[in-house]
Amino acid sequence: MARVALTRVLEPGDAVGGRWLREWGAVAVLRCLVDGPDGADGIDRVGRVDGGGGGDRNGGVPGVDGVPGVNGVAEVDGVAGADGVAGADRRGGTEGRGVLQGLEGVGPEARLPGVTAKRWEGLRARARRVRAVRDLETAAAAGARFVMPGDAEWPAQLDDLGDARPVGLWVRGHPSLRIWALRSVAVVGARACTEYGAHVAAGLGAGLAERGWVVVSGGAYGVDGAAHRGALGAGGATVAVLACGVDRPYPRGHAQLIGRIAEQGLVVGELPPGDHPTPSRFILRNRVIAALTRGTVVVEAAYRSGALVTARCARDLGRHTMGVPGPVTSGLSAGVHELLRGDAVLVGDAAEVVELVGDMGDLAPRRRGPVVPRDLLDPGAARVLAALPARGSAGVREVAREAGTSADDAVVRLYELRSLGFVERHGDGWQLTRQAFLSVFPEGGDA
């Protein structure tokens, strides 16, 4: 419950807040924000609060607006917070690790380290207004749930973000986020993409889904939406990571798409129900996309595209970074090309993506041009065929000289080529048939 409340207090990616959670636990941090530093002094090493301040029969301390604390686990008493925030880590872990150490300032002006006094007051103002129970009820009405570190559904790879990992995630949809994230790929790119970008993204989404991979993107216009639709159209799995509450689809033009993703896949977000997106939240959302997946594919991105943030975060986390090239004259491909000049790997379809992020043996098919009849000739016959002129005919000795062989061998090869339809004889000379001319000189050049 403390973590539910803190999703309204701490901004996504707040590494300072993440450090507080790591060192003191969510219960103590929330109590300190609500009641001041002295409010955390009653929390001992196992997360228990003394009953000296009054409260419920379990020793819970009154919360905001006089709402009593709620006992979260039989062994651990409630801690004051917001709207009845439970005071326990439900796994019996280390939430609330004793009197806070390292406070900045003294007395009522004391604050947790790493923030200015102005920022601290802003966080306290937020903390005094949270309503954790109401948020959970709103989320439940929208078919969403709250997943936090340590839960069975929590994707462990998000812990690679360190102190910038999410306080928790609001998840809308039925599948297990942890299981789906184990075999997932991010497909991101420009919002104002070209028809080429939309086509490639949809093809990647469908191809990955057909191969049993989960497609993760941001639910935005352009490449994101195309990747989601490709996966859905193939009857596959897809996850939309939003920069707002999961109960209010954004952009609004994608309300139907996001609703369909919630029915067939998952809609995920760090922000509590009803919260709105901001430019910084869009950027910070991208780190979750990168950390959640095995690799990130960028389809069309300008130099300042947020998709490049996702790719760079994936690279920094040790994930695979891939890019789909485009025209060198297109500004929407400039950012992708810059990635490809670095550590990113060029990919053209889902098979090449899976070859990089998949298991051993998941190899893409070898690429080669079409096989033409002359490719099937043995080397000697091929040399004689190449010795014939594009126009007119040539005698046996001339052909033998050009092919670097004897006249007798040239005759044998010419009759062999005649039976295959490559050459024909006119008097004492030999010349190419029309079929052979197009095969040997596809551009119509002269020999």
Side-chain angles (χ1 to χ4, degrees), residues 91-343:
R91 301 171 311 285
T94 58
E95 296 287 3
R97 296 181 181 174
V99 179
L100 303 184
Q101 303 294 324
L103 297 178
E104 296 181 352
V106 295
E109 301 300 323
R111 61 183 182 274
L112 293 175
V115 293
T116 64
K118 183 182 293 186
R119 177 62 178 156
W120 177 251
E121 284 307 311
L123 293 174
R124 292 202 64 193
R126 283 188 175 188
R128 287 191 289 266
R129 298 183 62 183
V130 296
R131 294 291 182 269
V133 171
R134 186 182 306 169
D135 283 341
L136 287 173
E137 292 173 348
T138 303
R145 59 191 177 277
F146 184 73
V147 178
M148 59 180 278
D151 284 346
E153 194 179 351
W154 180 259
Q157 57 265 47
L158 290 178
D159 298 340
D160 293 344
L161 292 170
D163 289 342
R165 77 175 180 179
V167 174
L169 291 174
W170 299 88
V171 181
R172 182 180 164 200
H174 300 293
S176 168
L177 177 61
R178 183 181 69 84
I179 298 300
W180 273 28
L182 292 175
R183 191 177 169 86
S184 64
V185 177
V187 180
V188 297
R191 285 178 171 82
C193 68
T194 64
E195 291 185 7
Y196 163 78
H199 174 76
V200 170
L204 285 172
L208 289 167
E210 289 168 354
R211 289 166 173 77
W213 286 80
V214 178
V215 177
V216 180
S217 198
Y221 292 129
V223 167
D224 289 16
H228 288 308
R229 290 189 183 94
L232 292 171
T238 187
V239 177
V241 182
L242 305 184
C244 57
V246 296
D247 62 328
R248 53 178 301 174
Y250 186 90
R252 293 187 179 182
H254 274 180
Q256 184 176 359
L257 173 62
I258 293 174
R260 189 180 170 200
I261 293 173
E263 293 175 0
Q264 188 170 323
L266 290 171
V267 177
V268 178
E270 295 180 74
L271 295 164
D275 247 13
H276 60 87
T278 64
S280 63
R281 288 173 173 178
F282 279 118
I283 296 300
L284 291 165
R285 176 271 311 269
N286 293 340
R287 82 195 194 288
V288 177
I289 296 176
L292 202 59
T293 55
R294 287 200 193 179
T296 295
V297 185
V298 183
V299 182
E300 289 196 326
Y303 283 122
R304 289 177 55 84
S305 173
L308 300 183
V309 176
T310 310
R312 292 178 185 125
C313 185
R315 177 197 61 198
D316 294 342
L317 291 170
R319 311 291 198 262
H320 295 288
T321 306
M322 296 154 278
V324 177
V328 295
T329 55
S330 172
L332 285 175
S333 292
V336 181
H337 296 164
E338 191 64 24
L339 282 178
L340 293 174
R341 284 170 53 84
D343 298 330

Side-chain angles (χ1 to χ4, degrees), residues 395-408:
V396 172
R397 293 185 179 279
E398 183 181 352
V399 172
R401 183 174 63 252
E402 293 295 326
T405 186
S406 65
D408 291 340

